[in-house]
Amino acid sequence: MTPGTAKAKVRATEKQAVDWLRENGYPYAERRRLVGSEDQGDVTGMPGICVEVKSAAAWKPVQWLRETRVEMENSRSAVGFVMARPKGGTNVNDWVIMMHPDTLLSLLTDAGWCVKPTSLCKIVSDAEENCTLARGHLSVCAFQTKIF
């Protein structure tokens, strides 16, 4: 593939990602032009969100996630993810989304899907029996509990 063809493929993939984001609730999403040496991701118009778009024959998820972490810091974004187009993946719904585990947990917690455990949190039941939530390990109790 010639350099011109590779750049055209990158632009086309980024445009496809932006079009999908616009169609799905981010009307201000647009391709970001590289500004200076501190890359801030491939998509702008989504404050607090860093998006890295990839289309490559050779998949390098660890490298891509490292890039995304740096770009999140450069763009001061709380959330960042990679939109990776697999070979032949013409429909964005068939692409792969990758993010760091801490980003995923943060999103799930903010959405109310999980409770962040504290270092040492004591849970006491209405019957004054104790359960302990210690460093992420919960002893399951078969009675009503309240957290204090």
Side-chain angles (χ1 to χ4, degrees):
M1 181 179 304
T2 65
T5 306
K7 286 185 180 184
K9 183 179 177 184
V10 168
R11 280 193 303 272
T13 300
E14 289 175 355
K15 182 185 180 318
Q16 193 174 0
V18 164
D19 289 347
W20 183 84
L21 289 165
R22 285 179 180 168
E23 292 165 7
N24 288 281
Y26 296 92
Y28 304 109
E30 61 183 55
R31 284 185 61 235
R32 183 188 306 269
R33 301 331 185 249
L34 183 60
V35 181
S37 62
E38 293 189 356
D39 194 356
Q40 297 183 10
D42 296 322
V43 178
T44 188
M46 301 168 62
I49 303 172
C50 178
V51 182
E52 179 68 16
V53 180
K54 295 293 186 184
S55 177
W59 280 53
K60 301 175 183 176
V62 173
Q63 177 183 327
W64 296 346
L65 287 169
R66 284 186 188 133
E67 287 176 26
T68 302
R69 180 72 77 196
V70 170
E71 293 167 356
M72 285 172 65
E73 290 174 15
N74 291 343
S75 63
R76 293 182 292 285
S77 296
V79 174
F81 59 91
V82 177
M83 293 182 72
R85 175 183 170 172
K87 188 172 183 174
T90 56
N91 183 336
V92 178
N93 288 316
D94 295 331
W95 293 12
V96 175
I97 301 295
M98 293 177 244
M99 65 179 57
H100 294 93
D102 61 335
T103 301
L104 174 64
L105 288 178
S106 178
L107 291 171
L108 291 172
T109 301
D110 290 349
W113 285 94
C114 67
V115 177
K116 275 189 178 174
T118 56
S119 299
L120 288 171
C121 174
K122 189 188 263 186
I123 301 175
V124 179
S125 74
D126 289 337
E128 298 301 318
E129 296 198 29
N130 292 327
C131 292
T132 304
L133 175 63
R135 302 199 186 282
H137 301 286
L138 176 64
S139 298
V140 179
C141 297
F143 42 81
Q144 183 83 25
T145 61
K146 57 186 171 186
I147 300 175
F148 69 96

